[in-house]
């Protein structure tokens, strides 16, 4: 079994800008990951299973809803703490971070922000400990980048108490084992609402999706609704329209910006160590200029991303981070992480493709991260729209005749 020797690179003394609480939260998450997850993650990745025995531990380190107030069972931390926890989790595996960020940002966040007091009391404390797990259904088979086109819908059941939900969601993280799903669906007027659907409701099923060659230590499934009778009291009353699910994505994308940087830092840390240990032509490979160029460029990109990410955390703490700023950070950090994973793989030569190192796993995982929560190109278009004021997501279909 590989020993986890990770120490994080800090070329510009970023730790000086963190509070003692931030460092405590981060170090606790790191110690837990090294002890509980690093020894088993490769096996789960190879078998394509999620280690469900880790759920209560994730709750204990505050990974489920770090910024949810204590009155609802959360630890009441700030957004930088949330980011640091996601960074430590994704430093180990993107699938581990995915499970925590879906639970935090896509399940707890909408219930906290848009739920009734009764819904908050019913779900949030159990979600915070991991006793209850949730998933988030936005994407559909025919509506990925364009969720506003969704066809999942609900109509009044006519009994005064329920609605009838029909439709299907696809690519849903945690779906196969989730106890509840926050599902986005249109009412009879076409307005989008969030609805909490519980496992066991008749007509609701969550088949697992197989064959993923990326994010294998995360469980992904479909959500299928066939005339599911859902009490009206399960509709989130606080906000409707596409902006409601998109605001949850802001929180999740924020966590991913920190998380992807964690994967990059892990690849760099291993590549630097390997470059000093591995000798060829009688010298450590780190003595070769071409290896130094790769390492120097990696730490430069990591440092730039650390600065961007911490500033984003400060803005988010102040309630000032815009969606477009979050998009830029998500896009940048996933891109540099993918590039760094590829270069770290090269530094490891043939060993880089084995599970002896986590690099190839990170690289494969990041191919999901660059696509979910808004693809790389969608985030570029969000930046483009922000700076020009002109949305370029849609275009008229040309007459091809
Ligand atoms: P558009 O007309 O631009 O906007 C509709 C309404 O939403 C508002 N809005 C936002 N509100 C809050 N936060 C944001 N980030 C927002 N972006 C837009 C907007 O102001 C408008 O409000 P209103 O009041 O005027 O109606 O919408 P559009 O249909 O043109 O789409 C814009 C686009 C393409 C950027 C958006 O649809 C998008 O982001 N698409 C990507 C879809 C996506 O990211 N899906 C992710 C699914 S979840 C997932 O992948 C989980 S992965 C697991 C894990 O995290 O680990
Ligand atoms: P499409 O939207 O079909 O895009 C295909 C290509 O077309 C992309 O390159 C895209 O950039 C490009 N494209 C699309 N529109 C435009 C445009 N206007 N201009 C330029 N290029 C464009 N969703 C959930 O709701 N919940 C989850 O928990 C969840 N978990 C996921 C887990 C995994 C492992 C994966 C892979 C996905 C998950 N998703 C989830 C879905 C994810 O958000 C979507 O895959 C993503 O939004 C892209 O949608 P799509 O796959 O349908 O691709």
């Amino acid at each position: 079994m590989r020993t986890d020797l990770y120490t994080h690179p800090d070329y510009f003394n970023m730790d000086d800008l963190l509070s003692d609480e931030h460092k405590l939260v981060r170090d606790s998450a790191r110690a837990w990951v090294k002890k509980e997850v690093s020894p088993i993650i490769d096996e789960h990745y190879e078998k394509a299973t999620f280690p469900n025995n880790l759920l209560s531990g994730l709750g204990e380190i505050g990974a489920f809803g770090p910024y949810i107030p204590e009155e609802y069972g959360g630890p009441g931390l700030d957004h930088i703490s949330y980011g640091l926890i996601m960074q430590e989790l994704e430093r180990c595996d993107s699938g581990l971070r995915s499970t925590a960020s879906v639970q935090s940002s896509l399940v707890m966040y909408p219930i906290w922000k848009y739920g009734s007091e009764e819904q908050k009391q019913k779900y949030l404390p159990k979600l915070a400990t991991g006793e209850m797990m949730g998933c988030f259904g936005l994407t559909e088979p025919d509506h990925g980048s364009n969720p506003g086109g969704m066809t999942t819908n609900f109509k009044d059941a006519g009994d005064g108490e329920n609605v009838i939900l029909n439709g299907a969601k696809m690519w849903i993280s945690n779906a196969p084992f989730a106890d509840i799903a926050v599902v986005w669906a249109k009412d009879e007027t076409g307005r989008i609402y969030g609805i909490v659907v519980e496992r066991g409701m008749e007509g609701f099923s969550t088949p697992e999706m197989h064959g993923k060659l990326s994010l294998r230590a995360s469980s992904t499934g479909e959500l299928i609704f066939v005339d599911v009778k859902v009490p009206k009291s399960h509709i989130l009353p606080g906000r409707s329209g596409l902006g409601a699910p998109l605001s949850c994505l802001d929180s999740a994308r924020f966590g991913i910006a920190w998380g992807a940087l964690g994967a990059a830092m892990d690849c760099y840390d291993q590549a630097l160590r390997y470059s000093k240990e591995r000798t060829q032509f009688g010298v450590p490979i780190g003595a070769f200029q071409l290896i130094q160029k790769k390492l120097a460029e990696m730490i430069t990109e990591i440092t730039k991303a650390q600065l961007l990410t911490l500033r984003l955390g400060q803005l988010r703490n102040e309630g000032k981070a815009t969606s477009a700023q979050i998009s830029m950070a998500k896009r940048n950090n996933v891109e540099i992480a993918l590039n760094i994973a590829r270069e770290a793989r090269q530094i490891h030569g043939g060993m880089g493709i084995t599970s002896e190192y986590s690099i190839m796993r990170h690289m494969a995982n990041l191919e999901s991260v660059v696509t979910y929560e808004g693809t790389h190109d969608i985030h570029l278009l969000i930046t483009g729209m922000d700076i020009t004021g002109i949305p370029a997501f849609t275009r008229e279909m040309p007459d091809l005749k």
Side-chain angles (χ1 to χ4, degrees):
M1 190 191 304
R2 174 167 44 96
T3 310
D4 185 347
L5 299 171
Y6 176 70
T7 53
H8 73 276
D10 188 12
Y11 201 70
F12 262 56
N13 303 347
M14 300 293 293
D15 270 18
D16 292 352
L17 303 177
L18 298 177
S19 68
D20 288 343
E21 183 176 69
H22 291 145
K23 285 183 264 195
L24 184 67
V25 165
R26 179 194 63 197
D27 295 348
S28 308
R30 184 173 306 171
W32 179 80
V33 164
K34 282 191 175 186
K35 182 165 179 277
E36 304 292 342
V37 197
S38 299
I40 60 165
I41 192 66
D42 289 312
E43 195 185 334
H44 280 281
Y45 194 85
E46 276 167 34
K47 289 186 181 157
T49 51
F50 177 76
N52 283 68
N53 58 316
L54 297 177
L55 294 175
S56 59
L58 281 164
E60 277 162 28
I61 62 162
F64 293 152
Y67 49 72
I68 298 294
E70 289 174 9
E71 62 180 306
Y72 298 119
L77 298 167
D78 70 354
H79 291 278
I80 292 176
S81 301
Y82 171 49
L84 287 166
I85 296 172
M86 296 303 119
Q87 190 159 88
E88 291 305 314
L89 298 183
E90 192 147 7
R91 195 285 295 177
C92 180
D93 190 86
S94 302
L96 183 68
R97 193 270 306 139
S98 241
T99 296
S101 57
V102 166
Q103 179 92 338
S104 300
S105 291
L106 301 181
V107 179
M108 297 176 76
Y109 181 88
I111 293 173
W112 175 45
K113 283 284 173 187
Y114 310 130
S116 65
E117 190 56 33
E118 191 190 342
Q119 290 166 342
K120 291 184 217 187
Q121 296 291 353
K122 178 176 179 190
Y123 297 116
L124 290 177
K126 287 185 181 166
L127 290 164
T129 60
E131 180 188 342
M132 178 183 274
M133 291 300 295
C135 65
F136 176 87
L138 182 64
T139 305
E140 299 186 349
D142 294 330
H143 301 96
S145 297
N146 175 28
M150 70 175 68
T151 58
T152 299
N153 65 88
F154 64 94
K155 59 179 193 245
D156 202 298
D159 60 4
E161 285 179 20
N162 298 290
V163 294
I164 303 293
L165 180 66
N166 278 290
K169 301 287 178 180
M170 190 178 174
W171 288 116
I172 307 305
S173 302
N174 302 354
F177 62 82
D179 303 290
I180 60 168
V182 173
V183 177
W184 300 92
K186 286 179 176 167
D187 73 1
E188 284 155 283
T189 71
R191 187 96 186 140
I192 294 171
Y193 285 85
I195 306 182
V196 183
V197 181
E198 294 183 356
R199 184 173 296 283
M201 286 180 170
E202 205 177 325
F204 173 42
S205 59
T206 61
E208 181 152 12
M209 293 173 67
H210 297 286
K212 289 196 323 265
L213 300 179
S214 165
L215 219 78
R216 288 174 62 78
S218 164
S219 188
T220 315
E222 297 170 63
L223 303 176
I224 296 175
F225 313 101
V226 181
D227 289 333
V228 184
K229 198 185 267 191
V230 187
K232 287 181 181 172
S233 61
H234 284 224
I235 296 174
L236 301 180
R239 187 169 176 185
S240 62
L242 186 58
L246 292 183
S247 71
C248 307
L249 299 186
D250 277 358
S251 176
R253 291 166 177 173
F254 171 87
I256 291 174
W258 287 81
L261 180 52
M265 284 163 28
D266 191 46
C267 291
Y268 168 79
D269 180 56
Q270 290 178 68
L272 179 62
R273 197 174 307 113
Y274 191 80
S275 75
K276 295 178 192 169
E277 289 167 2
R278 173 76 177 164
T279 58
Q280 284 295 288
F281 300 96
V283 292
I285 59 170
F288 299 126
Q289 286 182 345
L290 289 175
I291 298 285
Q292 288 193 8
K293 177 176 187 288
K294 289 189 201 309
L295 291 167
E297 286 176 351
M298 284 183 199
I299 191 62
T300 306
E301 288 307 318
I302 285 171
T303 303
K304 282 152 60 181
Q306 285 172 330
L307 288 161
L308 176 75
T309 309
L310 183 64
R311 178 65 187 136
L312 183 70
Q314 291 167 341
L315 288 170
R316 185 114 177 121
N317 275 347
E318 292 164 13
K320 290 189 203 155
T322 66
S323 300
Q325 286 168 334
I326 294 170
S327 275
M328 181 186 281
K330 189 267 186 183
R331 182 174 185 275
N332 179 76
N333 291 8
V334 179
E335 180 171 44
I336 67 124
L338 261 172
N339 292 339
I340 286 169
R342 287 172 186 144
E343 292 291 73
R345 217 287 304 146
Q346 297 244 35
I347 289 175
H348 283 76
M351 287 309 290
I353 70 157
T354 70
S355 58
E356 190 83 7
Y357 297 89
S358 53
I359 292 166
M360 191 78 185
R361 180 161 49 76
H362 280 310
M363 199 195 303
N365 280 339
L366 288 163
E367 290 294 343
S368 286
V369 183
V370 78
T371 286
Y372 67 32
E373 290 285 359
T375 69
H376 198 58
D377 287 343
I378 287 293
H379 287 297
L380 177 124
L381 293 176
I382 290 173
T383 305
M385 178 173 70
D386 196 48
I387 58 180
T388 64
I390 308 167
F393 302 110
T394 53
R395 49 165 299 184
E396 292 297 317
M397 188 58 194
D399 187 354
L400 300 175
K401 280 183 213 150

